[in-house]
Amino acid sequence: MSRAEVKLHIEEQVEAIVVNILLQEGFETNSNLADILRDYTAWLFDQILTDAPVSLHEEFCALGDWIADHGYSVDQVMRVINGLRKMIQGLLKRLLEEEEQSVDTLFHTLGLSMEFLTVNSTELLERYVQFRERKVAETHLQNLETVLDTIPNSIMTYDDNGLLTYANKTACELMEVGKEELIGHHHDSFLPLPGYSKSGRKIWVTQELIPLDNGAGSVLIGYPIVRELEYYRILQAQTEFIFNSMTEGLVIIDKDNIVTTFNSRAEKLFGIPRGEIINKSGSLFLEKLQLDEGLSLLHTTMRTGSTFTDIQQTVRSCDGVERILKTSTRTILGERDEILGSIGIFEDLTDRLFLEEQVRRAEKFSVLGKFAAGIAHEIRNPLTTAKGFLQLLPNDSPDPKIRQLKALVIPEIDRANEIITDFLMIAKPSAPQLKIGSLGAVIEDLVGLIGPQAIIQNIELIYTPYEDLKPVAIDRAQLLQVFLNLCNNAFDAMKDGGQLRIDVQDCASHVAIHFRDTGIGMEKDVIERIFEPFYTKKGNGTGLGLSVSHRIIEGHYGTIYVNSSVGGGSTFTIQLPFVD
């Protein structure tokens, strides 16, 4: 088949490729998205087959904004990208093999396709992340203005030159002017007299001018003149409304270490109902979180007066969820600058950091893919030659050195080949043959396989079958490989015996499989790198087992993560989506 015929054959299959991927993810096949994917796929084949330099397809990259704006998740985006990658590379490989191209040409073409896919997919994901963050910031500002416009108090902000930068709805109504008339001017220039509206009506408010901490301006708050008790009741309701509208958790303690404020977001972040903590000791708050007072930035600010800005901390809430929080603290000062309390603001970074890590990991594996083919080609050929030569040596050679050489070197060559195979699995994994199957049957087979080893190592193996699991799509062989790898790692962590518990949990949208051991556990820096290729703490390990497992679970559209502490054992959790 000529190159022109190959190109024509590929173009005829672009439609089928795109339609198949879109149908799998629930997208319409006649949408603008489908048109761009068809154009991108055809363009990609043309660039690869003409050996063009790596470049960006602008319309495909711009889909990052479009997909984020329409509310699609990063998982859906990744599945579409991965689907394109697998089908494109599979088609390329098959067609080049039909052309009987050389191995070098095959590897070069596949490597070039990986570069095109990586550059364009990374750009799309970066635009997706940037759009989502920009959208969150815009929504936050809109929500803040909406909240301020519902407050019956007049609120105006000034810059350091005394010019208005913001006025809420109440302030504009009291002065009988529009916002556009105020911004950038001093409001007295539009009023006949201070304290009177534009029409000359008396404004019945008391005002408080609060300078900003950074010296960049001030805030002027106007309070309606009402009975003092009513005033404080309204102020409290307004304050609670503002606090509970915040997207960050807010906790305030007074000088007696009593929690005086605990907003709705803080309830969700820390898993503590407000009624159980408000007006209670701050020590109870730390006790519920199992947090030492010396590690609490809020209490450190209360004791020392030192404030913190945007400090990342990992906190385990009362409901057992581990979250990464960005913490900032401030002091509440009295008239004589004495400390009356401290304020803690907590922002949940867990999802954002997870998304960033997914993008970084995708880039890392893409880079590995560019080297994997070359490594396999350059190393496997000489290994095969060496092994073939050694196998020609007679097993019953009278020379003991020859027998020893053959007995030692051939297994090492086989081990090197296994490492190369695992490395290729990480960089360019084979697509799983997903079928609706019984997850319980796979785990029962696993228990039968590892049971004898558990008895030998004095390890108690606990597994309770879960009845009526919803169907999941699995590749039985690949999934069993992952489960065996996790169990072997658990056994290695319990040299002196222990307990391995396998639990299956039926969740709303997925099934979760937990592997809990009572081994030595891991430090935080080990957990952060545990799925990196070639990272291992074992003396005889290759560091590829968990990397391969991670890629297999990704191929099942699932997730895998670990919770562990030194001396407290480890729990590996796999989540696989249910089939609709």
Side-chain angles (χ1 to χ4, degrees):
M1 184 183 294
S2 67
R3 180 51 60 91
E5 291 173 330
V6 169
K7 182 179 177 181
L8 178 61
H9 182 57
I10 288 174
E11 290 176 349
E12 292 174 351
Q13 297 195 45
V14 166
E15 177 71 17
I17 290 175
V18 174
V19 167
N20 187 27
I21 292 170
L22 293 176
L23 288 176
Q24 286 181 1
E25 297 307 320
F27 293 99
E28 296 181 5
T29 58
N30 59 350
S31 63
N32 181 54
L33 170 64
D35 292 337
I36 293 175
L37 288 182
R38 293 187 189 99
D39 182 63
Y40 167 70
T41 309
W43 171 85
L44 191 63
F45 278 120
D46 185 66
Q47 297 292 300
I48 294 168
L49 292 175
T50 57
D51 206 19
V54 177
S55 59
L56 292 175
H57 189 279
E58 184 56 34
E59 291 183 345
F60 174 76
C61 297
L63 284 176
D65 293 345
W66 185 88
I67 292 172
D69 188 38
H70 285 71
Y72 293 109
S73 69
V74 68
D75 288 335
Q76 289 175 293
V77 179
M78 290 297 294
R79 287 197 292 268
V80 170
I81 290 174
N82 286 333
L84 277 172
R85 174 181 59 78
K86 292 174 183 177
M87 290 190 178
I88 289 169
Q89 289 196 314
L91 181 57
L92 270 175
K93 182 175 181 295
R94 187 171 68 252
L95 290 173
L96 290 173
E97 287 174 346
E98 289 176 0
E99 285 188 297
E100 297 183 355
Q101 297 289 335
S102 67
V103 175
D104 289 340
T105 300
L106 176 61
F107 281 138
H108 172 74
T109 304
L110 292 178
L112 183 60
S113 71
M114 178 62 75
E115 290 182 29
F116 268 97
L117 290 165
T118 299
V119 169
N120 283 271
S121 298
T122 300
E123 179 67 17
L124 183 149
L125 286 171
E126 287 177 354
R127 295 191 188 186
Y128 178 93
V129 173
Q130 292 169 3
F131 186 96
R132 287 286 296 272
E133 291 181 348
R134 186 169 65 251
K135 197 73 173 179
V136 169
E138 291 173 357
T139 303
H140 181 72
L141 182 60
Q142 291 171 359
N143 291 341
L144 180 60
E145 288 191 5
T146 301
V147 170
L148 293 177
D149 280 341
T150 61
I151 295 175
N153 291 352
S154 64
I155 299 177
M156 294 179 287
T157 60
Y158 295 82
D159 62 17
D160 52 357
N161 294 318
L163 300 179
L164 270 156
T165 57
Y166 172 78
N168 72 342
K169 182 178 179 181
T170 301
C172 293
E173 290 175 347
L174 288 173
M175 292 185 289
E176 300 179 333
V177 295
K179 286 185 180 182
E180 63 280 359
E181 298 179 68
L182 290 173
I183 304 304
H185 301 84
H186 194 284
H187 77 276
D188 287 345
S189 63
F190 296 96
L191 305 178
L193 290 171
Y196 288 83
S197 70
K198 192 174 183 179
S199 66
R201 181 172 53 86
K202 176 66 177 176
I203 301 174
W204 294 98
V205 296
T206 59
Q207 294 182 320
E208 179 182 9
L209 187 65
I210 304 173
L212 298 176
D213 289 343
N214 58 11
S218 57
V219 179
L220 182 66
I221 303 177
Y223 304 103
I225 299 176
V226 294
R227 288 178 300 176
E228 190 168 333
L229 182 61
E230 184 69 10
Y231 160 72
Y232 283 116
R233 187 191 67 78
I234 293 175
L235 180 61
Q236 182 181 11
Q238 293 168 352
T239 304
E240 284 192 12
F241 179 78
I242 294 174
F243 287 168
N244 289 325
S245 300
M246 293 174 61
T247 57
E248 298 87 9
L250 177 68
V251 181
I252 302 178
I253 59 174
D254 63 16
K255 62 181 180 180
D256 298 320
N257 194 24
I258 299 298
V259 179
T260 60
T261 300
F262 200 81
N263 71 348
S264 300
R265 184 58 177 161
E267 286 186 285
K268 295 179 181 178
L269 288 180
F270 300 114
I272 305 174
R274 184 176 182 273
E276 294 182 8
I277 201 68
I278 198 73
N279 295 327
K280 303 289 178 62
S281 171
S283 301
L284 177 62
F285 173 59
L286 298 180
E287 180 182 332
K288 286 180 174 292
L289 296 179
Q290 298 181 359
L291 186 65
D292 186 85
E293 185 171 328
L295 300 177
S296 170
L297 302 182
L298 181 66
H299 286 78
T300 301
T301 297
M302 182 68 226
R303 289 195 312 271
T304 66
S306 301
T307 60
F308 302 90
T309 302
D310 295 346
I311 304 298
Q312 285 191 22
Q313 285 186 304
T314 301
V315 176
R316 186 184 297 275
S317 62
C318 286
D319 52 9
V321 178
E322 193 172 80
R323 293 184 173 89
I324 301 174
L325 304 180
K326 182 171 71 176
T327 304
S328 298
T329 64
R330 294 293 183 271
T331 54
I332 302 173
L333 301 178
E335 294 180 356
R336 300 175 184 175
D337 289 336
E338 72 274 20
I339 298 177
L340 300 181
S342 62
I343 302 173
I345 299 176
F346 307 89
E347 180 183 355
D348 190 358
L349 300 180
T350 309
D351 291 340
R352 190 174 80 187
L353 293 177
F354 175 76
L355 180 60
E356 292 174 354
E357 177 61 25
Q358 290 290 93
V359 173
R360 284 195 296 270
R361 184 168 290 161
E363 292 175 350
K364 183 183 298 183
F365 282 124
S366 296
V367 171
L368 281 174
K370 290 187 288 185
F371 295 105
I375 290 175
H377 177 66
E378 296 298 331
I379 296 179
R380 272 184 168 165
N381 285 348
L383 286 178
T384 302
T385 302
K387 182 178 179 181
F389 176 76
L390 290 172
Q391 286 176 331
L392 292 176
L393 297 176
N395 293 327
D396 56 353
S397 174
D399 189 341
K401 291 184 178 180
I402 291 179
R403 295 197 303 272
Q404 184 181 23
L405 177 66
K406 187 173 182 179
L408 292 177
V409 177
I410 289 179
E412 290 302 311
I413 291 176
D414 291 337
R415 183 171 180 270
N417 272 317
E418 290 177 4
I419 293 174
I420 292 173
T421 300
D422 287 344
F423 182 47
L424 286 173
M425 178 63 192
I426 298 169
K428 300 171 66 177
S430 58
Q433 303 300 314
L434 297 179
K435 297 180 180 178
I436 306 300
S438 171
L439 186 61
V442 177
I443 298 178
E444 288 176 4
D445 290 345
L446 169 73
V447 172
L449 289 172
I450 65 174
Q453 184 180 352
I455 295 173
I456 292 172
Q457 293 188 218
N458 192 29
I459 293 173
E460 181 185 6
L461 184 61
I462 301 176
Y463 166 63
T464 303
Y466 191 100
E467 301 294 337
D468 300 326
L469 268 179
K470 295 180 182 178
V472 290
I474 61 174
D475 183 319
R476 185 186 179 283
Q478 288 193 2
L479 210 55
L480 189 58
Q481 178 185 350
V482 174
F483 292 167
L484 283 170
N485 186 44
L486 295 182
C487 291
N488 288 331
N489 287 345
F491 289 166
D492 290 341
M494 297 183 290
K495 296 295 186 182
D496 298 326
Q499 183 185 91
L500 174 60
R501 175 184 291 274
I502 304 174
D503 294 322
V504 180
Q505 182 182 4
D506 192 351
C507 303
S509 61
H510 62 271
V511 59
I513 309 101
H514 306 281
F515 293 83
R516 314 177 195 272
D517 67 59
T518 58
I520 58 176
M522 293 178 284
E523 298 175 348
K524 183 177 180 181
D525 61 333
V526 176
I527 296 173
E528 292 174 351
R529 302 185 58 191
I530 195 70
F531 295 109
E532 290 185 9
F534 301 112
Y535 181 78
T536 180
K537 288 292 185 177
K538 298 179 184 179
N540 60 344
T542 64
L544 295 174
L546 287 177
S547 299
V548 171
S549 298
H550 188 278
R551 294 294 272 176
I552 289 175
I553 297 303
E554 277 188 339
H556 283 70
Y557 307 112
T559 58
I560 179 172
Y561 58 90
V562 59
N563 288 315
S564 183
S565 60
V566 176
S570 302
T571 299
F572 281 83
T573 298
I574 295 172
Q575 295 179 341
L576 299 174
F578 290 131
V579 177
D580 295 330

